[in-house]
Amino acid sequence: MPVLEKKTAIKTETTNARSVNWKKHMVHLFLLPALLFYIWFQVYPILSAFLNSFFAWDGLKRGAFIGLENFVRLFTESPFQETFFRGLGHNVIFFIGIVITKLAVAFLIALVINSKIRGKEFFKMVIFLPKLLSVIVVGFLFSLILNPTYGALNTFLAFIGLQEWARPWLGSPDTALYTIILVNSWYGLGFAVLIFLAGLQAIPTEIYDAAKIDGASGLTMLWKMTIPLAMPSIMVMTILSFIGAFETFELIFAMQGSQAGPYFSTDVLATYFYRLAFGSVAGGESIGLGSALAVVLFLMISSATAVLLFFFKRKEYEQ
């Protein structure tokens, strides 16, 4: 009888273990819809762009395999070559402008909010509010604000006696790109502040107390302690800003259209891709050339992101 009871207990435990394992694996099924969504809308377009870039196209019909000819044309044939490098230069300017006008300002605001000031939760909410708006809505609103005839900005400048500062902000090739950079920085400032603030709040306060006892000044603690210890959040925002700068499209499209005017002064690689792939710039060959540009843009972003990640990780280890 004891032997029978023991066998029954072992069988019961085995059944329970199988039931637990089955339930544990069932949890993975809840990831399946998100995985399918990701594969269909992220992985499949990337793979199809790689494939399409190696073929000739007749309208919407795939033609013969031509190897790297689309890439060669993109870099050597006019006007594709000139437009590509012009858009690439604007993307670089966009990234540098974001680092100066968004990341630097956001880090300073995060330092202020992280200090012992009253109402810091209110300031965080106010700064993050623009991020709740759609990019298209932001672009449309600023197109109205910056209108040279009835826009609020030029009207305000004239009201305070600075009408000589008024200008067509989006209508001049000298100011259009920088204006969009400022709008983009305003829109994404709140998110950058929250990321930097999370990094600053993770720094133990005991380190600052010990530094003050040793007689360290505020600037010394900022340069020698705060910035190195906040390097993970700085790394995250720099990489995200780089990716965003080279993928930027919606704001430029909303404010300047697909032609990225005036005179292509706000043209970037994403708007060039849109015209090339969907604007019939190259006639029936547009899908192949557009796919080649998408592949080049993907490789540029992924490789540059890897380099930035390696650089920041090395700096982190050195500190």
Side-chain angles (χ1 to χ4, degrees):
M1 190 68 179
V3 175
L4 181 60
E5 291 179 355
K6 186 176 182 181
K7 290 182 178 180
T8 304
I10 293 174
K11 185 177 180 181
T12 303
E13 290 178 1
T14 304
T15 304
N16 292 336
R18 289 176 180 175
S19 177
V20 170
N21 289 333
W22 180 80
K23 291 180 180 179
K24 183 175 67 174
H25 291 299
M26 277 293 294
V27 173
H28 296 98
L29 292 178
F30 291 100
L31 300 176
L32 188 60
L35 180 62
L36 294 175
F37 187 89
Y38 177 78
I39 292 174
W40 183 254
F41 289 101
Q42 294 289 336
V43 178
Y44 173 73
I46 294 174
L47 295 179
S48 64
F50 271 90
L51 183 64
N52 294 337
S53 64
F54 296 112
F55 287 86
W57 286 79
D58 182 13
L60 297 177
K61 182 180 178 182
R62 182 187 293 172
F65 179 82
I66 58 175
L68 299 175
E69 185 176 329
N70 284 322
F71 295 91
V72 173
R73 292 185 62 196
L74 187 66
F75 288 110
T76 61
E77 187 175 314
S78 182
F80 308 122
Q81 179 188 30
E82 295 85 351
T83 309
F84 175 83
F85 287 105
R86 179 185 61 204
L88 178 61
H90 290 162
N91 279 115
V92 173
I93 294 173
F94 209 96
F95 172 62
I96 296 173
I98 286 177
V99 171
I100 296 173
T101 60
K102 183 174 76 174
L103 299 191
V105 174
F107 191 78
L108 293 176
I109 294 176
L111 286 173
V112 174
I113 294 178
N114 193 48
S115 62
K116 296 179 180 180
I117 62 170
R118 299 178 61 182
K120 61 174 63 178
E121 297 299 327
F122 173 76
F123 289 122
K124 284 193 291 186
M125 180 187 67
V126 170
I127 292 172
F128 191 77
L129 278 178
K131 195 63 178 178
L132 301 179
L133 299 174
S134 167
V135 179
I136 302 298
V137 172
V138 171
F140 177 73
L141 289 177
F142 272 94
S143 295
L144 297 177
I145 293 172
L146 298 170
N147 187 282
T149 305
Y150 55 81
L153 179 57
N154 283 349
T155 302
F156 174 74
L157 291 174
F159 176 76
I160 62 176
L162 297 175
Q163 56 269 18
E164 66 274 7
W165 287 17
R167 63 193 70 241
W169 302 99
L170 296 175
S172 171
D174 298 328
T175 59
L177 181 62
Y178 302 106
T179 301
I180 294 178
I181 290 173
L182 290 174
V183 174
N184 181 277
S185 298
W186 173 85
Y187 174 69
L189 186 67
F191 179 75
V193 169
L194 291 184
I195 296 296
F196 286 141
L197 191 59
L200 293 174
Q201 290 178 345
I203 301 175
T205 56
E206 293 81 3
I207 297 178
Y208 293 107
D209 295 336
K212 290 178 181 178
I213 294 175
D214 292 337
S217 63
L219 289 176
T220 302
M221 288 191 292
L222 174 64
W223 186 253
K224 297 292 185 180
M225 297 171 53
T226 304
I227 293 179
L229 292 174
M231 191 57 66
S233 61
I234 296 174
M235 174 190 69
V236 168
M237 278 311 307
T238 303
I239 293 176
L240 290 179
S241 297
F242 177 83
I243 296 173
F246 276 78
E247 289 183 343
T248 184
F249 172 78
E250 296 95 335
L251 190 61
I252 295 176
F253 184 81
M255 300 181 73
Q256 301 293 75
S258 62
Q259 298 301 314
Y263 309 112
F264 300 107
S265 60
T266 59
D267 197 20
V268 292
L269 291 179
T271 53
Y272 177 40
F273 162 76
Y274 179 84
R275 294 196 310 275
L276 195 59
F278 306 111
S280 298
V281 175
E285 305 165 320
S286 58
I287 294 181
L289 288 169
S291 298
L293 177 58
V295 171
V296 170
L297 187 57
F298 172 78
L299 294 176
M300 286 174 52
I301 292 175
S302 57
S303 58
T305 300
V307 171
L308 284 173
L309 188 60
F310 173 78
F311 171 76
F312 279 113
K313 285 293 183 182
R314 190 176 69 174
K315 292 288 290 183
E316 190 175 347
Y317 291 145
E318 289 176 354
Q319 294 164 359

